[in-house]
Amino acid sequence: PPPPPPPPPPPPFFFSRRRRHTRSLWSRGLGDVYKRQAFDTETNSLDAIKADMVGFSLCTSENDACYVPLLHDEEENKQIGFDEAIKALKPILEDNGIKKILHNMKFDALVLDKYNIKIQNYDDTMLMSYSLGSGGIRHKLDTLIEYYFNHKAISFKELVGSGKDKKTLQELSIIEAGKYAAEDADMTLRLWKKLKSSLVQDKQVKIYEIIEKPLAHVIMNMENHGISIDKKKLNELSEIFKKKLNSLEKDCYKLIDEEINLGSPKQVGEILFDKLELSGGKKTSTGSWSTNAEVLENLANDGHDFPKLLLEWRALSKLKTTYSDALPTYLNQKTNRIHSSFSMATTSTGRLSSSDPNLQNIPIRSEDGRMIRKAFIPEKGNVLISSDYSQIELRLIAHIANEKNLMNAFLEGIDIHSATASEVFNISLNDMTPEIRRNAKAINFGIIYGISAFGLAKQLNISRTESSEFIKAYFNKYPSIKDYMDDTKKFASENGFVKTLLGRKCLVEDINSKNAATRSFMERAAINAPIQGSAADIIKRAMIILSLSLIHI
């Protein structure tokens, strides 16, 4: 038989970090001979739901990465056909025998899901880094490259420009995009090797393997699915809020005998402290009066009507602009749903954060806030369910501090705030009043956040002497909690971190700061982090288990 034809020459679209063409990975099916490769998508949008894959990069060994362009403008003849590329990628990314290494896998998974590709057997260097220590450095790829390798990576912002001259990656030349993309894949592979050994050395493998890594797919599915809203209801609420705001504005104008822009801190400050001459004013570094929430709350607690109405106006104005007006603008035109982004590696305690839009902080205590929540609706034939743990952080501090009195109250099903009030204020449960229970609730939750006597006094509108007595009585009844707080501050001071029940490290830098205010703040953070972080770990595990359960229903 005639000899087999020679292998095709390397395609022109492969870019090597060594500035020479590598052997054609394409002719070998991209990944047939490799059991491990770093992978990264390049897109024309930072919104993964809307983004199209412009190209992708691969790296199987250090300093030997490549970029495969697919949708660059004006260079079609140098690119692989899109459908052909997807056909070649799918078996590789879905092959459990090949380890895929990505940075922020969730983004790439959302992009690839449009093409019916489900990434299997992966590691995520962003989540590996986050598992080594929540807080501290940011976990962006550029930051980690500079931190671990003292190398400044090609900046995406500098690459595409800014302002009116800003380009999309699709508009860049293949060589420009290729250098950037290939470097990302190369450095992701190097980072993976570094972090993999660090996870073992720091004993953080469990956090990564049983929480962060499996949760990435759960969050990806949440973002991909999105949620429906009742646009008509939100529009109606905007009109209702508008009328309420107009009424509040008129009431404010009557009190100050003039019309001002209530949204202007400068004008509000001048009314409060120059015209009305109220006490307690503080000036900012710019020389203007401070009118933040704390200032207004103090003035309202002192019995002044204008600050009280202004707080109501601000709260309602925020509801209108942030939710009833803004939520419909986030509707995806294709899905007619909102697809919020949930960041997995930004908070210092392991909690998730939500953006574009933020769906985690919608108020529930006010009737107006509850009306916003009612605008989120299920698909036809479905229902929305709410799953939560009852007072999880209070239960956790009782457990972690081994405080018997508090644990017994939970085990006996006693209302925990009433139980605290009974213990601290020496009254029977039968004689409990709503005001006493509210005070106990403030102490219960305040203790978790390391509240001071000054902070509690402001919250309860009482003297510092009274609040000091309340805290002293609390620790007399629950001495193990005081021991926990003291032990935690000592551990944090000596180690620079604290740990959750599952062993997650929460970094508390500057806890030994010479600045008293900074040091005090970090001590409060150290007390809170094991509680809030443990709650986050438990809820994340529950999300993973619940998602697996729903699959089998």
Side-chain angles (χ1 to χ4, degrees):
F13 41 77
F14 280 100
F15 172 82
S16 171
R17 293 251 303 153
R18 288 189 296 216
R19 301 295 176 91
R20 67 174 178 77
H21 292 304
T22 60
R23 185 182 166 201
S24 174
L25 295 175
W26 194 265
S27 66
R28 294 179 295 173
L30 286 179
D32 281 353
V33 299
Y34 295 110
K35 297 302 176 188
R36 178 190 73 209
Q37 56 183 242
F39 174 84
D40 187 28
T41 60
E42 299 302 336
T43 64
N44 55 8
S45 172
L46 296 178
D47 184 336
I49 301 295
K50 297 177 181 177
D52 296 313
M53 184 166 63
V54 175
F56 60 89
S57 54
L58 295 168
C59 184
T60 54
S61 60
E62 290 183 15
N63 212 33
D64 196 8
C66 66
Y67 176 61
V68 181
L70 303 174
L71 294 178
H72 283 266
D73 298 342
E74 301 177 5
E75 298 192 58
E76 292 88 349
N77 60 322
K78 296 182 182 179
Q79 301 179 83
I80 282 285
F82 196 88
D83 292 341
E84 181 186 352
I86 295 300
K87 186 177 179 182
L89 268 182
K90 185 176 173 64
I92 298 166
L93 296 180
E94 294 184 347
D95 189 338
N96 270 311
I98 301 173
K99 171 76 76 176
K100 276 72 63 177
I101 302 157
L102 308 96
H103 193 84
N104 191 9
M105 184 281 305
K106 176 169 67 71
F107 181 90
D108 299 287
L110 282 166
V111 172
L112 292 165
D113 189 73
K114 300 185 192 69
Y115 315 118
N116 195 30
I117 294 177
K118 315 290 183 186
I119 301 175
Q120 304 294 332
N121 187 12
Y122 68 90
D123 268 331
D124 186 331
T125 50
M126 181 185 77
L127 297 181
M128 292 170 80
S129 174
Y130 188 61
S131 298
L132 284 167
S134 308
I137 63 169
R138 298 176 70 190
H139 303 279
K140 291 175 60 178
L141 184 58
D142 288 2
T143 305
L144 296 177
I145 290 171
E146 192 162 359
Y147 180 80
Y148 283 104
F149 305 112
N150 196 27
H151 172 72
K152 192 167 179 62
I154 298 170
S155 165
F156 180 78
K157 188 174 181 179
E158 291 175 8
L159 190 68
V160 300
S162 59
K164 63 179 182 179
D165 297 324
K166 185 176 181 180
K167 298 179 180 178
T168 65
L169 195 131
Q170 191 168 344
E171 295 170 310
L172 298 178
S173 72
I174 289 173
I175 293 297
E176 284 180 302
K179 290 178 181 179
Y180 165 77
E183 181 180 58
D184 271 7
D186 189 332
M187 299 308 290
T188 297
L189 180 63
R190 296 171 191 242
L191 187 60
W192 175 77
K193 292 177 181 178
K194 174 81 69 174
L195 297 178
K196 196 163 183 66
S197 60
S198 296
L199 282 172
V200 175
Q201 291 168 9
D202 281 20
K203 299 180 181 178
Q204 296 298 300
V205 173
K206 180 169 69 173
I207 293 296
Y208 174 67
E209 291 289 349
I210 74 167
I211 298 180
E212 301 300 345
K213 183 178 174 181
L215 185 68
H217 265 301
V218 177
I219 301 297
M220 188 274 286
N221 288 331
M222 283 169 51
E223 291 185 11
N224 208 17
H225 192 262
I227 189 165
S228 294
I229 59 171
D230 187 333
K231 190 175 178 180
K232 182 181 177 184
K233 189 178 192 68
L234 287 171
N235 290 336
E236 290 172 353
L237 282 176
S238 282
E239 287 301 313
I240 292 170
F241 294 162
K242 184 179 178 180
K243 291 177 182 177
K244 285 186 177 182
L245 286 169
N246 288 337
S247 177
L248 283 169
E249 286 172 3
K250 289 177 182 177
D251 291 341
C252 284
Y253 299 155
K254 285 179 184 177
L255 287 172
I256 61 176
D257 198 29
E258 66 175 284
E259 293 188 10
I260 64 168
N261 178 3
L262 296 180
S264 167
K266 185 176 184 297
Q267 292 183 36
V268 167
E270 289 170 353
I271 291 293
L272 289 171
F273 304 112
D274 291 333
K275 181 176 181 176
L276 299 181
E277 297 182 339
L278 301 182
S279 60
K282 296 177 183 178
K283 290 199 172 183
T284 65
S285 57
T286 62
S288 299
W289 291 108
S290 173
T291 60
N292 61 26
E294 183 181 359
V295 169
L296 294 182
E297 284 167 4
N298 287 340
L299 293 172
N301 288 336
D302 289 339
H304 300 296
D305 291 334
F306 176 58
K308 184 178 179 182
L309 284 179
L310 191 57
L311 282 169
E312 287 183 44
W313 182 88
R314 282 188 180 179
L316 190 59
S317 181
K318 184 177 180 180
L319 273 182
K320 183 177 183 296
T321 55
T322 308
Y323 299 112
S324 62
D325 288 352
L327 285 175
T329 68
Y330 286 98
L331 280 172
N332 183 289
Q333 292 183 355
K334 290 183 179 179
T335 65
N336 201 34
R337 299 169 75 82
I338 288 177
H339 301 269
S340 178
S341 177
F342 292 90
S343 177
M344 298 180 65
T346 54
T347 69
S348 60
T349 58
R351 297 177 75 177
L352 297 170
S353 64
S354 170
S355 61
D356 302 321
N358 182 352
L359 299 183
Q360 290 187 166
N361 292 336
I362 300 173
I364 195 171
R365 292 179 183 175
S366 69
E367 179 58 31
D368 292 328
R370 289 191 288 272
M371 292 302 292
I372 295 288
R373 288 179 173 240
K374 288 179 181 178
F376 291 89
I377 55 175
E379 293 174 330
K380 190 175 180 180
N382 292 272
V383 294
L384 290 177
I385 64 167
S386 177
S387 300
D388 197 8
Y389 285 92
S390 173
Q391 299 175 324
I392 185 170
E393 291 182 350
L394 290 177
R395 293 174 188 269
L396 279 167
I397 197 169
H399 173 77
I400 291 173
N402 195 30
E403 179 46 64
K404 303 295 185 187
N405 289 334
L406 211 50
M407 287 194 287
N408 288 337
F410 277 119
L411 290 171
E412 292 170 15
I414 300 171
D415 175 77
I416 198 64
H417 302 309
S418 295
T420 294
S422 178
E423 292 282 349
V424 171
F425 304 123
N426 290 313
I427 60 171
S428 70
L429 292 175
N430 294 330
D431 296 329
M432 191 64 54
T433 67
E435 183 181 0
I436 294 174
R437 184 184 180 277
R438 268 196 307 274
N439 289 347
K441 184 176 181 179
I443 298 173
N444 271 332
F445 285 111
I447 292 297
I448 293 173
Y449 294 96
I451 198 167
S452 64
F454 177 71
L456 185 63
K458 284 174 59 179
Q459 193 168 334
L460 297 181
N461 194 24
I462 57 177
S463 69
R464 276 182 79 170
T465 302
E466 285 180 289
S467 65
S468 295
E469 289 299 319
F470 284 174
I471 292 175
K472 184 179 178 181
Y474 183 92
F475 287 139
N476 284 337
K477 293 297 182 181
Y478 301 136
S480 296
I481 291 180
K482 182 69 166 65
D483 293 340
Y484 157 76
M485 294 170 69
D486 292 339
D487 292 345
T488 301
K489 285 191 288 187
K490 184 172 184 278
F491 181 91
S493 177
E494 293 172 352
N495 296 278
F497 66 86
V498 290
K499 285 189 174 185
T500 67
L501 281 175
L502 288 179
R504 179 191 298 277
K505 278 187 178 179
C506 301
L507 305 180
V508 281
E509 296 177 325
D510 294 331
I511 192 161
N512 294 315
S513 171
K514 293 179 181 178
N515 182 293
T518 301
R519 186 173 62 253
S520 178
F521 176 81
M522 294 311 300
E523 285 176 349
R524 291 194 298 272
I527 291 167
N528 173 248
I531 310 302
Q532 195 177 97
S534 294
D537 289 343
I538 290 168
I539 291 168
K540 283 180 173 181
R541 283 292 298 155
M543 290 171 69
I544 295 164
I545 295 166
L546 181 61
S547 70
L548 292 173
S549 302
L550 292 173
I551 289 171
H552 296 100
I553 288 178

